[in-house]
Amino acid sequence: MRPPHLQGFLLVVICLGSYFGSSENNPFPDITDEKFINDCVRIHNDNRSSVNPPASNMLYMTWDEGLAVTARAWARHCVFEHNIYLRDVRRVHPVFSSVGENIWAGAPPSTFSVMKAMRLWVNEDQYYKYESNVCQQGKMCGHYTQVVWATSYKVGCAVQICPNGVDKTTFSGQIGAIFVCNYATAGNMNGMLPYQTGTACSACEGTNNQCQAKLCRNSERDKQKSYNWTPDWDPALTTCGSSCIAILANRFAALLLTFVTAFGVHRFYPSMFFYE
Ligand SMILES: *[C@@H]1O[C@H](CO)[C@@H](O)[C@H](O)[C@H]1NC(C)=O
């Protein structure tokens, strides 16, 4: 039996440890979450296959790990503005020549779903005129045209909770969420139309295309790649966020516990020793 006051102290240390351990409290899926990936990819492709007027060269979109890693790194900044590294493409992707981006932000975090964010982007189609390639004055169409940009065939998204709010929004004072999707190759290029119109898949890029739900599919293009790459500006590399603080606090508590235990054992059972 340990002396009772030592037992009480151990209990306090253990409780502190689990309190800090649970403080991360992130309600959102990670970028490796299968349902999250499927939702992002499926909704993009559903909207790409149903453009009006119909597209003749719309590529099927698949997930890209590198784009998702960059989306996550930027989402961690919790600021509602475009990634400042986008024009320096090697700092946002290991292989692609250009990367595009859409961002959604909201509060409270429960207002987020992939579907709701995407609906907001795609709803811009009401302001966009394909025939003249213009957006109604004072409106935004760029999120929509990126989603339906024919040659953007890879997407990677990330959603992040922002306990101190999303900066540069009207709701920056309250806990919020940010959702970032990055695209390759980038859409919204200087005055170009997002896609060509005509019979579905009649103008697919390259050879060996299959037509699925009016989208050009190609097994080589759709292949999943792994890059083992992280952008050098990812905040997770340099700063200590809430989960990192939780880990440090846990380690400190464990260390303290080790010393206290050793001290207590030594003090109350001076003749006993053991290895740790
Ligand atoms: C976009 O895709 C979603 C999910 O399939 C669908 O509910 C929505 O109606 C689509 N919107 C347009 C404009 O195609």
PDB file of all heavy atoms in Angstrom, residues 192-211:
ATOM      1  N   MET A 192      -9.569  32.478 -70.442  1.00  0.00           N
ATOM      2  CA  MET A 192      -9.985  31.232 -71.098  1.00  0.00           C
ATOM      3  C   MET A 192     -11.348  30.787 -70.584  1.00  0.00           C
ATOM      4  O   MET A 192     -11.723  31.075 -69.453  1.00  0.00           O
ATOM      5  CB  MET A 192      -8.976  30.114 -70.813  1.00  0.00           C
ATOM      6  CG  MET A 192      -7.713  30.183 -71.652  1.00  0.00           C
ATOM      7  SD  MET A 192      -6.459  29.040 -71.026  1.00  0.00           S
ATOM      8  CE  MET A 192      -7.254  27.465 -71.318  1.00  0.00           C
ATOM      9  N   LEU A 193     -12.062  30.043 -71.433  1.00  0.00           N
ATOM     10  CA  LEU A 193     -13.308  29.424 -70.996  1.00  0.00           C
ATOM     11  C   LEU A 193     -12.968  28.235 -70.099  1.00  0.00           C
ATOM     12  O   LEU A 193     -11.938  27.583 -70.299  1.00  0.00           O
ATOM     13  CB  LEU A 193     -14.099  28.935 -72.207  1.00  0.00           C
ATOM     14  CG  LEU A 193     -14.866  30.005 -72.988  1.00  0.00           C
ATOM     15  CD1 LEU A 193     -15.259  29.475 -74.362  1.00  0.00           C
ATOM     16  CD2 LEU A 193     -16.097  30.460 -72.212  1.00  0.00           C
ATOM     17  N   PRO A 194     -13.839  27.915 -69.123  1.00  0.00           N
ATOM     18  CA  PRO A 194     -13.530  26.789 -68.227  1.00  0.00           C
ATOM     19  C   PRO A 194     -13.494  25.438 -68.948  1.00  0.00           C
ATOM     20  O   PRO A 194     -12.760  24.548 -68.524  1.00  0.00           O
ATOM     21  CB  PRO A 194     -14.651  26.835 -67.187  1.00  0.00           C
ATOM     22  CG  PRO A 194     -15.712  27.710 -67.761  1.00  0.00           C
ATOM     23  CD  PRO A 194     -15.045  28.638 -68.715  1.00  0.00           C
ATOM     24  N   TYR A 195     -14.302  25.308 -70.001  1.00  0.00           N
ATOM     25  CA  TYR A 195     -14.339  24.045 -70.735  1.00  0.00           C
ATOM     26  C   TYR A 195     -14.840  24.317 -72.137  1.00  0.00           C
ATOM     27  O   TYR A 195     -15.389  25.392 -72.414  1.00  0.00           O
ATOM     28  CB  TYR A 195     -15.249  23.017 -70.042  1.00  0.00           C
ATOM     29  CG  TYR A 195     -16.674  23.494 -69.841  1.00  0.00           C
ATOM     30  CD1 TYR A 195     -17.647  23.302 -70.835  1.00  0.00           C
ATOM     31  CD2 TYR A 195     -17.067  24.139 -68.665  1.00  0.00           C
ATOM     32  CE1 TYR A 195     -18.952  23.744 -70.658  1.00  0.00           C
ATOM     33  CE2 TYR A 195     -18.375  24.577 -68.477  1.00  0.00           C
ATOM     34  CZ  TYR A 195     -19.306  24.374 -69.479  1.00  0.00           C
ATOM     35  OH  TYR A 195     -20.596  24.814 -69.311  1.00  0.00           O
ATOM     36  N   GLN A 196     -14.644  23.329 -73.032  1.00  0.00           N
ATOM     37  CA  GLN A 196     -15.231  23.435 -74.366  1.00  0.00           C
ATOM     38  C   GLN A 196     -16.601  22.783 -74.338  1.00  0.00           C
ATOM     39  O   GLN A 196     -16.808  21.810 -73.597  1.00  0.00           O
ATOM     40  CB  GLN A 196     -14.356  22.703 -75.390  1.00  0.00           C
ATOM     41  CG  GLN A 196     -12.974  23.310 -75.581  1.00  0.00           C
ATOM     42  CD  GLN A 196     -12.052  22.350 -76.311  1.00  0.00           C
ATOM     43  OE1 GLN A 196     -12.459  21.670 -77.246  1.00  0.00           O
ATOM     44  NE2 GLN A 196     -10.803  22.288 -75.863  1.00  0.00           N
ATOM     45  N   THR A 197     -17.492  23.293 -75.151  1.00  0.00           N
ATOM     46  CA  THR A 197     -18.823  22.702 -75.168  1.00  0.00           C
ATOM     47  C   THR A 197     -18.996  21.827 -76.404  1.00  0.00           C
ATOM     48  O   THR A 197     -18.319  22.018 -77.424  1.00  0.00           O
ATOM     49  CB  THR A 197     -19.913  23.792 -75.040  1.00  0.00           C
ATOM     50  OG1 THR A 197     -21.182  23.156 -74.912  1.00  0.00           O
ATOM     51  CG2 THR A 197     -19.920  24.751 -76.216  1.00  0.00           C
ATOM     52  N   GLY A 198     -19.848  20.820 -76.277  1.00  0.00           N
ATOM     53  CA  GLY A 198     -20.072  19.862 -77.356  1.00  0.00           C
ATOM     54  C   GLY A 198     -20.501  18.523 -76.781  1.00  0.00           C
ATOM     55  O   GLY A 198     -20.813  18.420 -75.591  1.00  0.00           O
ATOM     56  N   THR A 199     -20.475  17.502 -77.618  1.00  0.00           N
ATOM     57  CA  THR A 199     -20.857  16.157 -77.182  1.00  0.00           C
ATOM     58  C   THR A 199     -19.902  15.672 -76.094  1.00  0.00           C
ATOM     59  O   THR A 199     -18.684  15.845 -76.218  1.00  0.00           O
ATOM     60  CB  THR A 199     -20.813  15.178 -78.379  1.00  0.00           C
ATOM     61  OG1 THR A 199     -21.604  15.736 -79.418  1.00  0.00           O
ATOM     62  CG2 THR A 199     -21.332  13.804 -78.000  1.00  0.00           C
ATOM     63  N   ALA A 200     -20.453  15.071 -75.059  1.00  0.00           N
ATOM     64  CA  ALA A 200     -19.641  14.616 -73.927  1.00  0.00           C
ATOM     65  C   ALA A 200     -18.491  13.738 -74.406  1.00  0.00           C
ATOM     66  O   ALA A 200     -18.687  12.843 -75.238  1.00  0.00           O
ATOM     67  CB  ALA A 200     -20.506  13.850 -72.942  1.00  0.00           C
ATOM     68  N   CYS A 201     -17.295  14.031 -73.926  1.00  0.00           N
ATOM     69  CA  CYS A 201     -16.082  13.246 -74.187  1.00  0.00           C
ATOM     70  C   CYS A 201     -15.621  13.289 -75.652  1.00  0.00           C
ATOM     71  O   CYS A 201     -14.745  12.511 -76.037  1.00  0.00           O
ATOM     72  CB  CYS A 201     -16.249  11.792 -73.749  1.00  0.00           C
ATOM     73  SG  CYS A 201     -16.642  11.606 -71.999  1.00  0.00           S
ATOM     74  N   SER A 202     -16.175  14.185 -76.465  1.00  0.00           N
ATOM     75  CA  SER A 202     -15.744  14.240 -77.864  1.00  0.00           C
ATOM     76  C   SER A 202     -14.410  14.974 -78.005  1.00  0.00           C
ATOM     77  O   SER A 202     -13.787  14.933 -79.065  1.00  0.00           O
ATOM     78  CB  SER A 202     -16.802  14.929 -78.733  1.00  0.00           C
ATOM     79  OG  SER A 202     -17.002  16.260 -78.292  1.00  0.00           O
ATOM     80  N   ALA A 203     -13.966  15.642 -76.955  1.00  0.00           N
ATOM     81  CA  ALA A 203     -12.696  16.375 -77.038  1.00  0.00           C
ATOM     82  C   ALA A 203     -11.792  16.065 -75.841  1.00  0.00           C
ATOM     83  O   ALA A 203     -11.095  16.930 -75.326  1.00  0.00           O
ATOM     84  CB  ALA A 203     -12.963  17.874 -77.140  1.00  0.00           C
ATOM     85  N   CYS A 204     -11.793  14.792 -75.408  1.00  0.00           N
ATOM     86  CA  CYS A 204     -10.941  14.393 -74.272  1.00  0.00           C
ATOM     87  C   CYS A 204      -9.475  14.588 -74.637  1.00  0.00           C
ATOM     88  O   CYS A 204      -9.065  14.320 -75.762  1.00  0.00           O
ATOM     89  CB  CYS A 204     -11.162  12.927 -73.919  1.00  0.00           C
ATOM     90  SG  CYS A 204     -12.806  12.555 -73.285  1.00  0.00           S
ATOM     91  N   GLU A 205      -8.709  15.011 -73.659  1.00  0.00           N
ATOM     92  CA  GLU A 205      -7.271  15.239 -73.841  1.00  0.00           C
ATOM     93  C   GLU A 205      -6.542  13.892 -73.857  1.00  0.00           C
ATOM     94  O   GLU A 205      -6.842  12.998 -73.055  1.00  0.00           O
ATOM     95  CB  GLU A 205      -6.814  16.063 -72.640  1.00  0.00           C
ATOM     96  CG  GLU A 205      -5.399  16.514 -72.626  1.00  0.00           C
ATOM     97  CD  GLU A 205      -5.123  17.313 -71.348  1.00  0.00           C
ATOM     98  OE1 GLU A 205      -4.864  16.678 -70.310  1.00  0.00           O
ATOM     99  OE2 GLU A 205      -5.180  18.545 -71.397  1.00  0.00           O
ATOM    100  N   GLY A 206      -5.607  13.704 -74.784  1.00  0.00           N
ATOM    101  CA  GLY A 206      -4.794  12.490 -74.825  1.00  0.00           C
ATOM    102  C   GLY A 206      -5.531  11.269 -75.338  1.00  0.00           C
ATOM    103  O   GLY A 206      -6.639  11.372 -75.878  1.00  0.00           O
ATOM    104  N   THR A 207      -4.904  10.099 -75.172  1.00  0.00           N
ATOM    105  CA  THR A 207      -5.493   8.849 -75.668  1.00  0.00           C
ATOM    106  C   THR A 207      -5.997   7.995 -74.497  1.00  0.00           C
ATOM    107  O   THR A 207      -5.806   8.353 -73.342  1.00  0.00           O
ATOM    108  CB  THR A 207      -4.448   8.045 -76.465  1.00  0.00           C
ATOM    109  OG1 THR A 207      -3.277   7.935 -75.656  1.00  0.00           O
ATOM    110  CG2 THR A 207      -4.117   8.723 -77.778  1.00  0.00           C
ATOM    111  N   ASN A 208      -6.605   6.867 -74.842  1.00  0.00           N
ATOM    112  CA  ASN A 208      -7.096   5.902 -73.845  1.00  0.00           C
ATOM    113  C   ASN A 208      -8.088   6.472 -72.851  1.00  0.00           C
ATOM    114  O   ASN A 208      -8.054   6.147 -71.670  1.00  0.00           O
ATOM    115  CB  ASN A 208      -5.927   5.278 -73.068  1.00  0.00           C
ATOM    116  CG  ASN A 208      -5.018   4.495 -73.974  1.00  0.00           C
ATOM    117  OD1 ASN A 208      -5.494   3.851 -74.913  1.00  0.00           O
ATOM    118  ND2 ASN A 208      -3.726   4.553 -73.710  1.00  0.00           N
ATOM    119  N   ASN A 209      -8.956   7.365 -73.325  1.00  0.00           N
ATOM    120  CA  ASN A 209      -9.973   7.886 -72.430  1.00  0.00           C
ATOM    121  C   ASN A 209     -11.228   7.026 -72.487  1.00  0.00           C
ATOM    122  O   ASN A 209     -11.601   6.526 -73.542  1.00  0.00           O
ATOM    123  CB  ASN A 209     -10.328   9.319 -72.814  1.00  0.00           C
ATOM    124  CG  ASN A 209      -9.314  10.315 -72.292  1.00  0.00           C
ATOM    125  OD1 ASN A 209      -9.302  10.637 -71.109  1.00  0.00           O
ATOM    126  ND2 ASN A 209      -8.434  10.775 -73.171  1.00  0.00           N
ATOM    127  N   GLN A 210     -11.840   6.885 -71.322  1.00  0.00           N
ATOM    128  CA  GLN A 210     -13.158   6.283 -71.256  1.00  0.00           C
ATOM    129  C   GLN A 210     -14.111   7.381 -70.840  1.00  0.00           C
ATOM    130  O   GLN A 210     -13.713   8.290 -70.108  1.00  0.00           O
ATOM    131  CB  GLN A 210     -13.180   5.166 -70.216  1.00  0.00           C
ATOM    132  CG  GLN A 210     -12.465   3.924 -70.702  1.00  0.00           C
ATOM    133  CD  GLN A 210     -12.365   2.891 -69.606  1.00  0.00           C
ATOM    134  OE1 GLN A 210     -12.230   3.229 -68.429  1.00  0.00           O
ATOM    135  NE2 GLN A 210     -12.425   1.628 -69.980  1.00  0.00           N
ATOM    136  N   CYS A 211     -15.347   7.266 -71.301  1.00  0.00           N
ATOM    137  CA  CYS A 211     -16.329   8.287 -70.950  1.00  0.00           C
ATOM    138  C   CYS A 211     -17.210   7.758 -69.827  1.00  0.00           C
ATOM    139  O   CYS A 211     -17.897   6.756 -69.986  1.00  0.00           O
ATOM    140  CB  CYS A 211     -17.177   8.631 -72.178  1.00  0.00           C
ATOM    141  SG  CYS A 211     -18.059  10.189 -71.979  1.00  0.00           S
TER     142      CYS A 211
END
